[in-house]
Amino acid sequence: MPKEDWRNNSAIRVFMDHNKWPFKEDEIVSILDVACGLSLKSKFIPAQIRVGVDIYEKYFEHIESDVPYVVVKYDVRKLNEIFMPKSFDLVLALDIVEHLEKEESLAMIAQCESIARKAVVLETPKGYIPQNIDILGYGGHTYQTHRCGWEVEELEKLGYSVVVRDYQMNDVKRHTDIDVEPSIKLIDAIKIL
């Protein structure tokens, strides 16, 4: 996702614009940024503690951030092995659930909910978007492949409040065999615990 969108459509802004952000200023002290990659989207949410976790260490070399953070190299499908229940106020899992098989995504979401004290925020394309190329060019094709798609009703059944918005992806080659339309719908979902 383009960095400009991360700034302009941070989780706070998206949910505040739809009256779905219940937290006061300074109420979120700690954030776990699941599959932070090189984006560290948590930097757009005020907090004192930010921890990013990602399996592909090469992305860490390219993180751009003007806020303090710590990163951990680990498989996001096994978060409960390294993080205690209720150890972060907010858990962000942005642009990750589509990169796992559906059952793995569901298990990871459950782990995020266990680790969060106040809320979990998810973001994913609406429906399945074919992708098997690391569009950023860092060689992480295996990790950037899309393996499933999500619909609003699925997340609502899990207890999430959902916002759907139009989104323009970068118009780059995403798949070795399929042309992918860059105009999509994006799902932002929040579950207050």
Side-chain angles (χ1 to χ4, degrees):
M1 308 255 165
K3 292 178 186 177
E4 194 62 30
D5 187 70
W6 304 336
R7 181 180 302 104
N8 295 337
N9 293 301
S10 69
I12 289 178
R13 175 169 274 167
V14 168
F15 294 117
M16 282 183 92
D17 287 352
H18 291 87
N19 297 316
K20 295 181 182 202
W21 186 259
F23 305 109
K24 297 177 183 127
E25 191 174 332
D26 299 328
E27 194 172 347
I28 300 297
V29 175
S30 59
I31 302 173
L32 177 61
D33 195 333
V34 177
C36 65
L38 48 81
S39 62
L40 201 70
K41 293 175 192 161
S42 58
K43 78 179 190 173
F44 299 107
I45 300 173
Q48 296 173 15
I49 300 165
R50 277 176 203 79
V51 176
V53 61
D54 203 293
I55 196 168
Y56 195 53
E57 190 173 8
K58 188 164 186 162
Y59 287 150
F60 297 159
E61 300 166 16
H62 303 281
I63 290 176
E64 297 174 15
S65 183
D66 53 0
V67 297
Y69 66 92
V70 173
V71 290
V72 177
K73 181 181 185 257
Y74 213 76
D75 187 336
V76 299
R77 295 170 295 182
K78 301 175 183 180
L79 294 170
N80 60 350
E81 293 180 0
I82 59 171
F83 297 111
M84 299 293 294
K86 308 291 181 210
S87 54
F88 291 89
D89 290 332
L90 179 64
V91 176
L92 297 179
L94 310 180
D95 304 315
I96 177 59
V97 295
E98 68 273 16
H99 295 275
L100 304 173
E101 298 294 341
K102 186 65 70 120
E103 290 303 315
E104 292 173 323
S105 289
L106 288 164
M108 188 204 70
I109 290 168
Q111 290 178 65
C112 289
E113 292 172 5
S114 171
I115 293 165
R117 278 192 291 266
K118 297 181 179 180
V120 175
V121 172
L122 308 174
E123 184 176 81
T124 187
K126 183 178 182 298
Y128 177 71
I129 306 295
Q131 179 172 302
N132 68 355
I133 296 173
D134 180 351
I135 63 171
L136 301 171
Y138 296 113
H141 305 300
T142 298
Y143 305 114
Q144 292 301 314
T145 295
H146 288 187
R147 293 178 173 83
C148 70
W150 287 84
E151 297 296 337
V152 168
E153 299 77 20
E154 292 176 282
L155 293 170
E156 288 176 338
K157 281 183 183 177
L158 294 175
Y160 285 81
S161 180
V162 172
V163 173
V164 178
R165 59 188 174 102
D166 291 329
Y167 186 77
Q168 186 69 30
M169 299 188 300
N170 289 337
D171 192 11
V172 297
K173 187 166 179 63
R174 296 180 174 280
H175 198 281
T176 51
D177 303 319
I178 301 168
D179 289 330
V180 179
E181 171 60 41
S183 296
I184 66 166
K185 298 284 187 186
L186 198 61
I187 298 173
D188 292 284
I190 186 168
K191 184 172 187 177
I192 309 302
L193 304 172

